Amino acid sequence: MTGRWAGTRARRRSQTAASALLVVGLIAGLAACTSDPLADQYRSGDNKGFVAADGFAVDEIAADDRTEPVDFEGVLDNGGTTSSADYAGDVLVVNFWYAGCAPCRVEASELAAADAAFEGQDVAFLGVNLYDGGEASRAFAETYGVTYPSALATEDGSIKLAFAGESPLNAVPVTLVLDKKGRVAARLVGQIEDASILETIVRETLEES
């Protein structure tokens, strides 16, 4: 009897412990679902040198520490051309991507949302497609609701060279925010999961005197 009773109590303690762990796990899971951890982490600090657990990184550059304006030109996927002179006086968001990049596909809607948020303001968006031709680039834009054009590095590689010293372009997606003078004000390396992060940076850059 004693042996059987001891065994029963041991099993009950084991079941109780397992149930407690399950409850803890459920609570943690629900907490994670109530907010966007990436956006919360970004907003909780001063946003300088922010790095999320998944590797997404934001590096904002103080105005006094910014390098020279980026001078570039390129061939667009819509058949036109572009250059840095087209964006003089604007805050410019430059996103480096290509169609086969899975994170690029995921973040496309966030970029489109940020673009729409600044409609009518002195803010412009420009994609730089690193590997695709015009047809694939336009098809991607249509699929994901992207309305701004992309320059094609396959048509004119000089645009890639113009930005090569500003951020690592071997691991996309990468998004740069250029101030009104054409200088890099912020780098966002990795997939943008929340448009509000980019919008905050653009708004702060736009408000600079």
Side-chain angles (χ1 to χ4, degrees), residues 87-168:
Y87 306 100
D90 290 346
V91 172
L92 176 62
V93 178
V94 185
N95 175 251
F96 295 85
W97 68 282
Y98 64 97
C101 161
C104 300
R105 295 194 294 270
V106 175
E107 75 170 8
S109 61
E110 301 300 326
L111 289 163
D115 179 33
F118 292 100
E119 184 176 1
Q121 301 183 53
D122 295 330
V123 177
F125 279 64
L126 174 67
V128 177
N129 188 311
L130 298 175
Y131 302 117
D132 301 313
E135 184 176 355
S137 185
R138 291 192 304 272
F140 179 99
E142 183 176 355
T143 299
Y144 294 99
V146 176
T147 58
Y148 56 83
S150 283
L152 303 174
T154 54
E155 295 290 334
D156 185 351
S158 68
I159 192 167
K160 183 177 179 180
L161 292 175
F163 286 97
E166 301 296 337
S167 187

Side-chain angles (χ1 to χ4, degrees), residues 13-37:
R13 284 197 299 269
S14 177
Q15 291 169 353
T16 300
S19 298
L21 288 173
L22 178 60
V23 170
V24 171
L26 288 172
I27 292 173
L30 289 171
C33 294
T34 58
S35 63
D36 184 334

Side-chain angles (χ1 to χ4, degrees), residues 167-191:
S167 187
L169 302 181
N170 58 328
V172 292
V174 171
T175 303
L176 302 179
V177 178
L178 277 59
D179 65 17
K180 299 174 185 178
K181 297 179 180 179
R183 305 173 302 174
V184 175
R187 304 180 184 90
L188 296 84
V189 181
Q191 176 190 320

Side-chain angles (χ1 to χ4, degrees), residues 43-105:
R43 298 187 189 102
S44 67
D46 62 4
N47 307 340
K48 308 300 182 182
F50 170 80
V51 180
D54 61 359
F56 174 72
V58 176
D59 178 26
E60 292 188 70
I61 305 166
D64 292 341
D65 297 329
R66 294 171 192 168
T67 58
E68 293 298 311
V70 180
D71 185 18
F72 67 86
E73 58 183 22
V75 176
L76 297 175
D77 58 4
N78 61 15
T81 59
T82 190
S83 72
S84 48
D86 296 333
Y87 306 100
D90 290 346
V91 172
L92 176 62
V93 178
V94 185
N95 175 251
F96 295 85
W97 68 282
Y98 64 97
C101 161
C104 300
R105 295 194 294 270

